[in-house]
Every structure is written in C-alpha cells, then in structure tokens.
Amino acid sequence: MTFTPKTPAFEKAIKDSRNLKAKPDNDDLLELYSLFKQGSQDPPFADAPKPGMFDLTGKAKYNAWKKVADEGMTHQQAQEKYVKLVNSLKEKYGFEG
C-alpha cells in the first residue's frame, strides 16, 4: 500500500467540511465522498471492497467513487476539487469556523 500525501489545503477542507451549518444534500455528499476517497487513496479504488447487494448507500458511494476513478482523476486533482467543493459548500450551507 502506498501512502498518498495530503496537502495542507486538503486537510483544512476535511476539517471545514465537518463544520458546515447544515447537512449537504445527497448529491453534494456523494461528490464530497468520491473526491475525498480519490484524494486520500485509502484504500486505492482497485483494492476497495464492493458493497453488498442490499447496501444501497454503500453502492451509491462506491459508484460515485468509481465514476471519479474511471475518469482518470489523480489524487492531486481530487484534492484540489475537494477543496473547491468544500469552499462552495461553506457559502451554500453556512460555516461555523
């Protein structure tokens, strides 16, 4: 397993995402999840277990991450997009920080 370094901006965005005033809608949450997983590569997508047949939430998360991975997005690109997304969500939902 390889270690994927996290930029300081990515680390800050992770913390900031936990301090939004309101819970983001499901589409925003799936985008956050997929970019976080691709950005952190923990585990790499190829090593991630597939969710069970009745795990609908797990399937949605897995498919969102698969879409990002299939686009060929690098972990650096995912971290940058994650930071931008969190900043836009701070404006959309409010931020307690």
Side-chain angles (χ1 to χ4, degrees):
M1 181 164 98
T2 26
F3 173 72
T4 301
K6 295 178 179 84
T7 65
F10 184 63
E11 293 280 4
K12 181 180 182 316
I14 293 168
K15 290 177 185 164
D16 287 353
S17 72
R18 297 181 184 132
N19 292 316
L20 297 172
K21 287 185 179 180
K23 181 180 177 184
D25 64 33
N26 286 340
D27 289 339
D28 289 336
L29 287 172
L30 284 173
E31 188 174 2
L32 271 174
Y33 177 82
S34 65
L35 293 173
F36 170 80
K37 292 298 280 185
Q38 188 68 9
S40 62
Q41 292 288 307
D42 186 23
F45 182 77
D47 298 337
K50 289 186 178 180
M53 183 174 16
F54 298 107
D55 182 3
L56 300 180
T57 302
K59 280 185 179 183
K61 290 170 138 182
Y62 182 88
N63 289 335
W65 184 15
K66 182 179 186 321
K67 180 181 173 197
V68 171
D70 287 349
E71 289 172 357
M73 187 180 298
T74 67
H75 74 274
Q76 295 97 337
Q77 292 169 324
Q79 287 184 21
E80 290 169 13
K81 285 188 80 168
Y82 184 90
V83 170
K84 289 178 185 173
L85 177 60
V86 169
N87 287 333
S88 71
L89 295 178
K90 285 162 66 172
E91 291 180 23
K92 184 175 180 181
Y93 295 103
F95 177 68
E96 296 174 352

